[in-house]
Every structure is written in structure tokens, then in C-alpha cells.
């Protein structure tokens, strides 16, 4: 178990990769502290983890509010006595529009959650990580910050692009405390959110789901839309001691669809 006895905070625990990371982290031996806005959903994930023999707590958290970030960290310390890892996965989707008619004034809220929320959480865990001699932070970003998606959310791409820049800046500052900071740039994630999106897309295109999924998979060298569980494992690897000498890195996790230079 690559996370045995580690205490890991995960934000943005929703029906997609967030819940997959939480369940897998517990299976890998971590005590998990879950944060997101919907307490009822969090409680369901915690119940599943505990039923499987794992340890978990959850607290409704809005990462755009510093006090709530601090409260999530405090809850983890109270329950488990230490903090070893942080996965910043909270996000706000933003609008889907072309730039020429996009609502630029609304971008701030998306950036506040995805980029500044990650910074707030990272700052909130610094002292607990220093107290145990180090830790690992992973910021979950998106391939869209490098590969524009026509009609996609520009504010989401901008916010996640800022998150990868933030990763390197924090990594340079906190390495002296043995705290590592890395980022993953995710592509397509095959799970409930994408499955629902595909249903909506094909209702407009007239394609079957199989045709559309096949067209997406054909652009990916590995030939499949990456399953969210496999992508979650990659994120967890960066929290583990297997990557002790990796910091300030941005890892593309997309089956090879986009290969950054």
C-alpha cells in the first residue's frame, strides 16, 4: 500500500475523479480527509470507505473562503493528528462560450476556486506538514490549458493554467521544508461526468454513443478514453514516497492525446 499511514486531504470530491481518488487512497492505506461543497455526497463516500475498512472524515468546504480551508485542515488534524498530503481537485466549470461573447467579468469566480483555492489550501497545510518533516501537494489541472477546446470554458482553462504556474512557484519556495508540489494535467476522464456529457453531445450530433466515444478514442494513442480510476492512481503516486525526488513537475495524464514539449 503506497500511502500506508499517511493522512491525505482531497478537495473537490464529487462524482468524478474526486471520489475515485478518495476511495483508492483509502485502499492504499491512507487516512483521508474529504472536502467539497456538498456534505451529503461526502458523507456517502465516507460511509463507503468505512464500510470497506478504511478511515475517512469529511467536511463541507468552499475553498474560496480561507476560514473554511483552515477548518478542513483542523478537522484532519483533530481526527488523525497529522497531515502528509494534499490533493487540490476543487474547481468551478465556468461558461462554455467563444471568447468574443464570453463573460470575462465572471472569470474571476472560476479562478478564485481553482487557482486561488489551491493556493489557500496549500498555505493552510504548510505548518502541519512542516511539523512532520515534509509532505506532498498535487494540483489537478487540465490538458485544456494547453490545448484549446473550441466552445469550451476559457475561464476554466485559464484557471487551471494558473494552477500549473502556481505549482512551480510554491515548489521553489517550500522545497526547503521537504514539501513537494506537483501538478497533473488531465485529459478525458471516463467516468460518470463524462458519460453524462457524452449523452448530451450525441443528442445534438445525431451520432450514437459508440460512434462518438470511438471518435474520441481514435485521437488517443493508447486507444481508450482514460478511465478515471487509472488517472486517480497517477495522482496518488505523486503523493506517495515513490516520487520523493519529484517536485515542480507537471505530468500529462491523457493517454498521449496531448504531448507537451
Amino acid at each position: 500500500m503506497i500511502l500506508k499511514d499517511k493522512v491525505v486531504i482531497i478537495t473537490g470530491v464529487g462524482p468524478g475523479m474526486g471520489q475515485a481518488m478518495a476511495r483508492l487512497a483509502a485502499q492504499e492505506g491512507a487516512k483521508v480527509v474529504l472536502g467539497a461543497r456538498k456534505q451529503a455526497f461526502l458523507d456517502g463516500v465516507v460511509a463507503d470507505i468505512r464500510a470497506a475498512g478504511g478511515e475517512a472524515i469529511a467536511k463541507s468546504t468552499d475553498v474560496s473562503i480561507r476560514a473554511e480551508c483552515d477548518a478542513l485542515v483542523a478537522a484532519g488534524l483533530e481526527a488523525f493528528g497529522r497531515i502528509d498530503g494534499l490533493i487540490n481537485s476543487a474547481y468551478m466549470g465556468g461558461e462554455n462560450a467563444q471568447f468574443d461573447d464570453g463573460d470575462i467579468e465572471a472569470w474571476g469566480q472560476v479562478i478564485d476556486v481553482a487557482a486561488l483555492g489551491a493556493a489557500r489550501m496549500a498555505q493552510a497545510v504548510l505548518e502541519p506538514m512542516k511539523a512532520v518533516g515534509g509532505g506532498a501537494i498535487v494540483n489537478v489541472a487540465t490538458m485544456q490549458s494547453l490545448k484549446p477546446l473550441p466552445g469550451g470554458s476559457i475561464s476554466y482553462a485559464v484557471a487551471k493554467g494558473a494552477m500549473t504556474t502556481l505549482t512551480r512557484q510554491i515548489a521553489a519556495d517550500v522545497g526547503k521544508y521537504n514539501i513537494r508540489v506537483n501538478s497533473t494535467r488531465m485529459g478525458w476522464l471516463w467516468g460518470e461526468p463524462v458519460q453524462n456529457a457524452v449523452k448530451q453531445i450525441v443528442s445534438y450530433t445525431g451520432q450514437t454513443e459508440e460512434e462518438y466515444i470511438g471518435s474520441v478514442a481514435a485521437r488517443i494513442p493508447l486507444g481508450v478514453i482514460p478511465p478515471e480510476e487509472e488517472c486517480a492512481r497517477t495522482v496518488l503516486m505523486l503523493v506517495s514516497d515513490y516520487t520523493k525526488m519529484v517536485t515542480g513537475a507537471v505530468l500529462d495524464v491523457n493517454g498521449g492525446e496531448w504531448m507537451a514539449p
Side-chain angles (χ1 to χ4, degrees), residues 122-232:
Q123 201 172 65
V125 300
L126 285 185
E127 290 306 319
M129 286 186 176
K130 289 180 191 179
V132 295
I137 298 170
V138 184
N139 295 323
V140 179
T142 178
M143 177 178 71
Q144 191 181 335
S145 64
L146 291 179
K147 182 182 180 183
L149 178 65
S153 172
I154 298 176
S155 58
Y156 173 68
V158 168
K160 291 295 191 175
M163 179 187 262
T164 58
T165 299
L166 173 72
T167 295
R168 296 188 176 101
Q169 295 294 322
I170 300 176
D173 281 354
V174 303
K176 58 182 175 287
Y177 306 123
N178 193 33
I179 297 172
R180 301 180 295 105
V181 189
N182 295 292
S183 184
T184 56
R185 256 189 312 245
M186 320 307 294
W188 286 84
L189 294 168
W190 189 247
E192 182 180 331
V194 168
Q195 290 166 5
N196 291 336
V198 168
K199 287 180 171 60
Q200 293 180 342
I201 291 169
V202 299
S203 70
Y204 290 101
T205 65
Q207 295 172 286
T208 66
E209 289 186 32
E210 291 74 17
E211 288 171 340
Y212 185 78
I213 293 167
S215 70
V216 173
R219 303 196 300 265
I220 300 174
L222 291 183
V224 296
I225 298 177
E228 63 186 13
E229 292 86 357
E230 296 303 326
C231 296

